[in-house]
Amino acid sequence: MNRALFAGLAGTMNNQTRLDIIGNNLANSNTIGFKQSRVTFRDTYYQTLRSGCGSSANSGAVNPIQVGSGNALASVQTLYTQGSLGTTGQALDAAVEGAGMFVLSDGDTQYFTRDGTFALDDTYTLVSAHNGMRVRGWLADGGVIDTTQPLSDLQFQMGQMTAGDVSTEVTMGGNLSADAAVGDSIVTSIDVYDSLGAAHELIITMTNNAADNTYDVEVVCAGTTATGQITFDGLGVLDSGSPINISFTPGGGATGPQAVDVDFSAITQLAHDADAVARVQNGRPAASLTDVILQENGIIVGAYNDGRQVIMGRIALAAFANPAGLERTGNNLYKAGSATGEILIGAADSGGRGRVVA
């Protein structure tokens, strides 16, 4: 009688655990990055009342008689099946598609999560929006990310100024009229930038010469003048004279002298209205970082107020020899346990790790 009561009690208690797990799965059906669990059971100790014996010449085989003592909890296994992805409209939110977890740190302990709800804190460091733990990855050096280096916090200097690019080339475009009278001029200008990001107006004047298909060119910038001639062939295509170089001293502490080539190779001379213009130059002014945006596979791009985008860093992803060996700590977090095995931290979409979806 006692055996029956104890066996029934064991089954009731263990099935209560199963119901607890099911209830927890249901309660977290809308929890970001949550992975459901399943329960398995095992039978327990058996009392052998009679052992079995084989058949003989005079009798058949006799099976053993054993009485079980109930069941026990065998395992609670986390199922790392892929969840559905949804759009949040937040520029720093991320999801993992495939194997792997994001790496977080509270300064002392390393944690892992499938919850990619990220934001910048008051120090412009990328953190989990739920618990404030810092997201780990690699910062870029000159736009280059070295994922072989140790992990670091992803902190960005919002508002920090970055040097511009020095202008070294101006590209002209458009047409110089083949019907222009001798002495007719067309003037165009464009700003070029020195080593400190300061703008200097570069003025190009093109004047029709008395010689056929020839224009005199004057380039003026920062008090310096350079001259030259450009000529065209019978088809209105530039024949010679490009580029014209001007070397000027920008002043204001900027590096000088600064040389700029004015390229006329795209200019034509046809019987059409004159619309020659300085189209583009390859310099940039100094700019400040205004925003950071997460892109595919964990690449973080910084947006500057002049429109340029620069790679700033990358989020790390961790894969595990035995992900079922991770221990849940609450707050959508896991930490490594003795059964987890090797932790493989690296870039997304490599080494068996899944993709990071922005």
Side-chain angles (χ1 to χ4, degrees):
M1 185 66 179
N2 288 340
R3 182 187 293 119
L5 292 175
F6 284 124
L9 180 61
T12 300
M13 294 176 62
N14 291 323
N15 275 283
Q16 178 61 55
T17 301
R18 176 175 175 271
L19 291 175
D20 293 341
I21 297 298
I22 293 173
N24 186 61
N25 290 340
L26 291 172
N28 286 283
S29 59
N30 289 318
T31 299
I32 297 173
F34 177 78
K35 297 302 177 185
Q36 66 175 327
S37 301
R38 72 171 183 178
V39 180
T40 60
F41 301 102
R42 60 181 175 83
D43 51 1
T44 56
Y45 173 75
Y46 283 83
Q47 181 181 7
T48 302
L49 301 181
R50 186 185 68 192
S51 298
C53 63
S55 60
S56 66
N58 298 317
S59 64
V62 177
N63 296 325
I65 298 176
Q66 292 179 295
V67 179
S69 56
N71 73 346
L73 195 65
S75 70
V76 178
Q77 183 182 10
T78 302
L79 305 179
Y80 290 97
T81 52
Q82 179 63 48
S84 60
L85 304 183
T87 301
T88 67
Q90 302 300 309
L92 292 174
D93 282 353
V96 179
E97 186 175 56
M101 292 188 181
F102 302 112
V103 184
L104 304 180
S105 174
D106 63 0
D108 297 317
T109 305
Q110 187 169 254
Y111 294 91
F112 308 98
T113 185
R114 295 278 293 192
D115 181 358
T117 309
F118 299 144
L120 296 181
D121 69 3
D122 58 341
T123 64
Y124 303 114
T125 301
L126 190 66
V127 299
S128 168
H130 289 167
N131 51 47
M133 290 189 181
R134 295 187 172 187
V135 181
R136 303 285 281 172
W138 305 273
L139 290 172
D141 183 4
V144 178
I145 300 171
D146 185 357
T147 58
T148 64
Q149 295 298 309
L151 298 182
S152 64
D153 296 336
L154 298 173
Q155 186 175 37
F156 308 100
Q157 302 300 318
M158 303 298 292
Q160 182 184 25
M161 298 296 295
T162 184
D165 297 328
V166 176
S167 300
T168 60
E169 184 176 302
V170 172
T171 301
M172 302 290 294
N175 184 62
L176 293 172
S177 177
D179 299 327
V182 173
D184 284 354
S185 295
I186 184 169
V187 181
T188 183
S189 66
I190 192 170
D191 283 342
V192 294
Y193 299 94
D194 63 26
S195 61
L196 297 178
H200 303 271
E201 186 181 24
L202 187 141
I203 304 170
I204 303 107
T205 304
M206 294 156 284
T207 305
N208 192 15
N209 190 285
D212 290 341
N213 302 332
T214 303
Y215 272 78
D216 295 324
V217 178
E218 179 184 79
V219 181
V220 178
C221 189
T224 300
T225 300
T227 60
Q229 278 189 340
I230 54 175
T231 62
F232 300 86
D233 62 19
L235 298 176
V237 177
L238 187 75
D239 187 45
S240 65
S242 178
I244 293 175
N245 177 270
I246 182 171
S247 182
F248 62 92
T249 301
T255 301
Q258 180 174 338
V260 176
D261 286 331
V262 183
D263 182 6
F264 293 86
S265 59
I267 292 280
T268 58
Q269 187 199 32
L270 301 171
H272 193 273
D273 293 341
D275 59 2
V277 66
R279 286 182 173 168
V280 295
Q281 55 82 39
N282 63 347
R284 290 180 183 269
S288 62
L289 182 64
T290 59
D291 198 8
V292 290
I293 304 165
L294 183 68
Q295 295 186 341
E296 293 302 300
N297 278 331
I299 301 292
I300 300 172
V301 171
Y304 287 82
N305 62 355
D306 64 349
R308 83 178 96 169
Q309 292 190 341
V310 178
I311 293 176
M312 305 291 290
R314 188 170 190 177
I315 294 174
L317 211 61
F320 310 93
N322 177 28
L326 291 168
E327 298 176 1
R328 297 179 189 257
T329 65
N331 291 319
N332 294 347
L333 300 175
Y334 299 79
K335 67 178 182 179
S338 57
T340 304
E342 186 178 7
I343 302 173
L344 307 171
I345 297 178
D349 206 17
S350 68
R353 290 170 287 271
R355 296 193 312 123
V356 172
V357 182

